Amino acid sequence: MPAVKSSQTVSDALHTATMLLSRSSPSARLDAELLLEYVTGLSRTNFRANPERELPANAGWSFQQLVKRRSLGEPVAYIRQQQEFWSLLLEVSSAVLIPRPETELVVERMLAHIKKEDPVRVADLGTGSGAIAVALAHELRQARVTAIDASKDALELASRNIGRLQLTNVSLLHGSWFAPVTGQKFHAIASNPPYIAQDDPDLAPDVRKFEPVMALISGRAGFEALDSIIRDAPTHLEPEGWLVLEHGWKQAEGVRQRLVRQGFVHVTSHADLAGHERVTEGQWPGPQRG
């Protein structure tokens, strides 16, 4: 990439960056705009309205360094250390998965089963950045949300997100899946657990290289974490409580079968915007009515 000149314009900087990133990214122009937005503090709308605006020399140099990192595959969210989820801006780092749009479907399905005014208890297993937990806590102000993760680094980051969003109805616990909540029951449980098989050829190289392995890989078939959660969820669900799980786009049938075998009812899978079944839910039965 050519050296950045002090007289470089927004248009020139974006053009040069887009050309470089087009070799490695399918969203080169968007990546370039997001990185320049981060460096300058200006909005992408501003760039489009003022393409001939000159960049300060220090902004141009910083932009060049970030573009180099992106060209090597590092995700834009990690470079910017932020990602929007459920219209909330979250801090992210390489200690957690980057929250993705399909995970918003987990939040949608949880909200489909809970009324906003209900003082329910909700759990988010493997919370990572806290994305699901903070979205639920933001929407369900009367709910008590318990967010659990085995990574202390992830919990520290989630704590910062909770604090910045001034949410008072979320608590964080350290441990694996249900271990920190022995004896507790919830009205709904959500999880986006690791679900990728160890040798999955579909896993993008940049994801494997930069995102935390413990939040991605789940055994040889990708079902270890899902199996553990489905097995133990009944002892932690109130009667008629819901379990909502994100999984891989080829795993829906397997997750449905596991939920049915475990005794869940109303088992259903839901498709993301790309048409892939990515979230499956089941309800723990209530008392039999004679």
Side-chain angles (χ1 to χ4, degrees):
M1 185 174 181
V4 176
K5 300 177 182 179
S6 60
S7 60
Q8 189 178 42
T9 66
V10 165
S11 178
D12 289 341
L14 288 174
H15 175 74
T16 303
T18 301
M19 291 294 290
L20 176 62
L21 294 177
S22 63
R23 305 169 193 167
S24 57
S25 171
S27 55
R29 178 70 183 196
L30 175 60
D31 293 352
E33 289 186 357
L34 289 171
L35 293 175
L36 191 60
E37 183 180 64
Y38 179 68
V39 166
T40 63
L42 300 173
S43 69
R44 292 160 61 201
T45 302
N46 187 289
F47 299 156
R48 293 162 188 166
N50 303 283
E52 299 310 311
R53 177 178 184 151
E54 290 191 3
L55 293 178
N58 60 340
W61 185 87
S62 297
F63 179 57
Q64 184 184 48
Q65 303 312 304
L66 299 190
V67 170
K68 286 181 178 178
R69 289 169 61 184
R70 178 62 187 134
S71 71
L72 296 173
E74 186 174 355
V76 171
Y78 286 159
I79 297 172
R80 287 166 48 103
Q81 296 185 303
Q82 57 186 219
Q83 177 73 11
E84 187 175 279
F85 181 84
W86 202 258
S87 299
L88 303 169
L89 191 62
L90 303 179
E91 177 187 347
V92 297
S93 75
S94 58
V96 300
L97 288 183
I98 299 168
R100 290 169 167 79
E102 54 264 32
T103 303
E104 293 190 352
L105 183 56
V106 174
V107 178
E108 290 177 16
R109 295 313 308 163
M110 290 286 281
L111 295 176
H113 302 304
I114 305 170
K115 295 179 181 178
K116 287 199 173 187
E117 64 273 13
D118 288 349
V120 294
R121 296 181 302 280
V122 176
D124 173 26
L125 306 180
T127 195
S129 65
I132 293 173
V134 299
L136 291 173
H138 186 265
E139 296 292 333
L140 304 169
R141 298 294 179 148
Q142 302 305 312
R144 296 300 307 174
V145 181
T146 300
I148 300 167
D149 205 288
S151 166
K152 290 185 177 180
D153 289 338
L155 290 176
E156 289 177 6
L157 192 147
S159 179
R160 292 197 294 272
N161 283 325
I162 292 165
R164 191 178 63 259
L165 294 169
Q166 299 182 330
L167 297 169
T168 60
N169 55 338
V170 187
S171 58
L172 297 170
L173 294 176
H174 177 243
S176 178
W177 308 130
F178 293 105
V181 290
T182 300
Q184 296 184 40
K185 289 183 179 289
F186 301 90
H187 298 92
I189 297 169
S191 185
N192 174 21
Y195 52 72
I196 297 174
Q198 193 166 9
D199 300 319
D200 190 338
D202 293 332
L203 182 59
D206 58 335
V207 174
R208 187 183 293 273
K209 179 178 179 181
F210 289 99
E211 302 201 43
V213 172
M214 70 176 292
L216 289 168
I217 308 299
S218 187
R220 298 184 66 179
F223 274 99
E224 282 188 9
L226 287 161
D227 283 337
S228 178
I229 293 169
I230 292 170
R231 181 189 67 236
D232 295 339
T235 60
H236 294 280
L237 278 169
E238 296 284 1
E240 300 183 352
W242 286 89
L243 176 64
V244 180
L245 299 169
E246 182 173 336
H247 49 73
W249 65 283
K250 298 177 182 178
Q251 293 176 315
E253 182 177 356
V255 174
R256 288 195 299 270
Q257 291 174 351
R258 286 163 164 80
L259 287 169
V260 170
R261 285 200 300 266
Q262 192 64 29
F264 283 86
V265 296
H266 306 305
V267 174
T268 311
S269 296
H270 300 273
D272 61 16
L273 294 176
H276 298 134
E277 290 183 323
R278 293 300 300 270
V279 171
T280 298
E281 62 188 26
Q283 186 180 36
W284 190 241
Q288 297 292 321
R289 295 178 174 86

